[in-house]
Amino acid sequence: MQAEAQAPNPETTLRAMQAIVGENACLSGDADMQPFVTDYRGIYHGKAQVVVLPASTEEVSQVMQWCYANHVPVVPQGGNTSLMGGAVPDGTGAAVVINLRRMNRVLAIDTVNDTMTVQAGVTLSGARTAAEADQRLFPLRIGSEGSCQIGGNLSTNAGGTAVLRYGNMRDLVLGIEAVLPDGRIYSQLRGLRKDNTGYDLKHLFIGAEGTLGIITGAVLKLMPQPRSTAVAFVAVQSPAAAVQLLGEAKRLSGQAVTAFELISRPALELVLEYLGNVPSPLPEMHDWMVLIELTSGTDAESLNATLMEILESGFGQGLVLDAAVAASLSDAQNFWRIREEISDAQTRTGGSIKCDVSVPLSRIAAFVEDASAKVLALEPAARMVIYGHMGDGNVHFNPLRPRDQPAKEFLAQWYARISGLVDAMAHAENGSISAEHGIGVVKRDDLTQFKSSVEIELMWQVKQALDPRNLLNPGKVLPARRR
Ligand code: MLT
Ligand code: ZN
């Protein structure tokens, strides 16, 4: 199944797009298109015939109808913050990029139903702010919230730092509107918590990275805003001690554990160097730390007491070596800044070997220890930047070049071997090779190794049913079919 090789003349495509969305909503010069054909880290570069910025679902539908009739591939794009090259066109220049940034309206907030209806181009921070204005919480929390869009969050089933409490994006949506490859509109913008009327089709589009349809709108779940938050930066004895501490935190606080993020010493050292003026929360360096956040509907005093109880229990059992409890909002923000900037700190050093793996929580500590030992046996001077959502069994396991080795050389020497090794170890633990970053182009071909032929065949059958001409985000997610 291939897109037709012969793309229409770009002039023809441009005129057709202008007729649908208007001249000002079409970008065609190389300079204007550049930010839309390169990912935000500047790693993946492609080309496009034209970048289209539709203002409505109807316009998306018309663009898709034209592209379908003319066999033109389409790359849907939100904030272009994919780490996997999922929102960038390939190098052929055949594609039309549809960026949804102009569809950025919050359409309705229903405070009785606790739902919010948004267009897909609303940024995550826009959605969170709109919810806050009505004293509600939209709980998805990821570092790129200022630029990533709800449509992209859904298309990649985004995770982040509050999954432990609230779930992934898939858990936070009740209804979806999506435009199909041939321009038909699948419209289920409903805020129902119960609807057992057959296949729940919205889930096809969630996590499909724009290969089955273009999400244009969604009904999101809203939560009560927590009344209090307590945050601590805690040095722990080991990854296993961290997991035990999480157990204690759950036992002592009930539902209050919102985030439980692991940070290795090389990750902390790197981010502190990058930030420059932000002090380490703890006076001494330790090999392993966790950032714990509790939130609740109770008052701050009793939540802080619960946090202290957790830490005391941790000290008592030898799990905790030291702890800094945020005494103010600005302390808590500083702790979080340290955690959230680890990603960009790596980009600034020339990049690391990015592995985004998950295993059952019961296996995560052993996984981290074993995988670290295997990598260090290959390259003893690699810096083991390991951090992330330990409470979900998900770590970003990102070996970084030795200080005296150029990044290019390190990545050329080790990327394939080490990421292959780490992924295989996660897979052997019944884990995932992409816990929350998706597949895009980066992991596409690896799927043949880590998914069964039944799974891959089913993926292609679904693709064939919805996108028989393979026009929507071609080359992403689906690996070559086994014959
Ligand atoms: C994070 O948790 O910081 C994000 O998933 C981004 C990243 O790991 O690079
Ligand atoms: Zn993450």
Side-chain angles (χ1 to χ4, degrees):
M1 194 164 61
Q2 285 297 319
E4 294 267 303
Q6 192 64 43
N9 172 331
E11 266 307 309
T12 312
T13 306
L14 178 61
R15 276 198 304 276
M17 295 300 111
Q18 286 173 335
I20 298 169
V21 299
E23 273 185 37
N24 292 338
C26 291
L27 307 172
S28 57
D30 283 349
D32 287 347
M33 288 199 289
Q34 202 277 334
F36 301 89
V37 296
T38 302
D39 72 305
Y40 85 107
R41 288 186 300 163
I43 296 179
Y44 307 100
H45 306 275
K47 289 186 189 147
Q49 295 198 58
V50 52
V51 175
V52 184
L53 307 169
S56 66
T57 304
E58 195 43 50
E59 286 185 359
V60 176
S61 166
Q62 286 180 35
V63 169
M64 293 304 292
Q65 279 174 48
W66 188 90
C67 290
Y68 188 77
N70 291 279
H71 295 261
V72 171
V74 170
V75 176
Q77 190 178 79
N80 199 8
T81 56
S82 168
L83 292 165
M84 312 307 275
V88 171
D90 65 20
T92 61
V96 165
V97 172
I98 301 185
N99 184 293
L100 287 120
R101 62 158 63 161
R102 286 177 69 220
M103 293 180 58
N104 60 0
R105 280 184 306 132
V106 173
L107 300 173
I109 294 189
D110 182 339
T111 54
V112 176
N113 199 37
D114 278 327
T115 50
M116 171 164 62
T117 307
V118 297
Q119 290 184 309
V122 170
T123 60
L124 175 54
S125 63
R128 285 175 61 94
T129 306
E132 271 162 34
D134 270 315
Q135 287 83 51
R136 297 293 185 281
L137 173 72
F138 180 64
L140 189 79
R141 201 165 62 182
I142 54 180
S144 55
E145 67 165 45
S147 30
C148 66
Q149 298 172 10
I150 293 298
N153 298 150
L154 284 163
S155 296
T156 56
N157 185 26
T161 54
V163 171
L164 181 57
R165 176 76 172 273
Y166 297 105
N168 293 297
M169 193 61 178
R170 191 184 291 283
D171 304 304
L172 301 175
V173 64
L174 296 174
I176 273 195
E177 177 189 76
V179 176
L180 302 181
D182 60 7
R184 282 178 297 158
I185 299 170
Y186 163 85
S187 187
Q188 283 297 321
L189 282 182
R190 302 194 303 178
L192 298 180
R193 285 175 174 77
K194 297 188 117 177
D195 174 20
N196 274 352
T197 52
Y199 300 158
D200 195 342
L201 296 173
K202 67 175 178 289
H203 287 294
L204 279 178
F205 302 101
I206 301 169
E209 301 184 36
T211 58
L212 300 178
I214 301 184
I215 295 174
T216 47
V219 180
L220 305 175
K221 288 184 195 170
L222 298 179
M223 315 287 168
Q225 281 185 326
R227 281 179 59 207
S228 52
T229 302
V231 179
F233 200 94
V234 182
V236 288
Q237 182 66 47
S238 62
V243 174
Q244 272 180 271
L245 183 65
L246 173 60
E248 281 300 274
K250 286 177 179 170
R251 185 177 69 79
L252 292 165
S253 78
Q255 297 268 307
V257 190
T258 303
F260 195 91
E261 298 280 314
L262 182 72
I263 301 174
S264 70
R265 179 180 185 142
L268 181 63
E269 286 170 346
L270 180 78
V271 73
L272 291 177
E273 272 171 41
Y274 171 68
L275 293 172
N277 55 356
V278 176
S280 176
L282 297 169
E284 281 172 34
M285 272 291 166
H286 298 269
D287 287 346
W288 296 103
M289 282 121 320
V290 288
L291 179 56
I292 306 177
E293 183 181 284
L294 308 181
T295 58
S296 84
T298 62
D299 59 282
E301 212 177 308
S302 78
L303 192 65
N304 279 330
T306 305
L307 179 59
M308 295 316 291
E309 208 186 334
I310 294 165
L311 295 175
E312 275 159 25
S313 167
F315 274 115
Q317 295 179 55
L319 309 173
V320 171
L321 303 175
D322 198 1
V325 175
S328 62
L329 182 61
S330 97
D331 277 356
Q333 282 167 343
N334 272 341
F335 293 0
W336 271 112
R337 194 163 160 226
I338 288 169
R339 161 61 190 90
E340 276 170 355
E341 297 282 352
I342 296 172
S343 185
D344 283 354
Q346 293 168 86
T347 309
R348 212 198 43 172
T349 66
S352 54
I353 300 172
K354 281 190 90 70
C355 305
D356 166 36
V357 287
S358 65
V359 298
L361 186 54
S362 44
R363 299 298 304 154
I364 190 78
F367 171 83
V368 165
E369 302 270 19
D370 295 352
S372 300
K374 286 226 162 82
V375 171
L376 289 171
L378 292 172
E379 174 46 277
R383 285 174 283 172
M384 302 306 294
V385 175
I386 301 169
Y387 61 100
H389 324 296
M390 184 177 229
D392 310 322
N394 171 203
V395 285
H396 301 308
F397 189 98
N398 298 348
L400 182 70
R401 66 176 171 82
R403 282 186 187 277
D404 55 1
Q405 187 179 21
K408 262 198 173 155
E409 192 183 295
F410 172 73
L411 298 175
Q413 187 179 356
W414 293 116
Y415 206 113
R417 180 144 174 218
I418 289 181
S419 66
L421 171 91
V422 173
D423 287 353
M425 289 181 74
H427 184 69
E429 295 283 4
N430 277 324
S432 168
I433 63 161
S434 186
E436 61 167 11
H437 292 167
I439 297 298
V441 285
V442 179
K443 291 280 179 194
R444 181 195 62 200
D445 296 334
D446 297 338
L447 290 188
T448 38
Q449 196 187 335
F450 297 112
K451 281 198 185 282
S452 67
S453 47
V454 173
E455 287 172 296
I456 290 173
E457 193 53 32
L458 281 175
M459 282 170 71
W460 272 110
Q461 283 174 354
V462 173
K463 173 74 171 169
Q464 180 93 50
L466 273 82
D467 185 15
R469 295 185 180 170
N470 192 21
L471 292 175
L472 208 38
N473 219 3
K476 313 288 166 50
V477 182
L478 294 109
R481 246 171 157 167
R482 284 185 204 152
R483 300 278 162 207

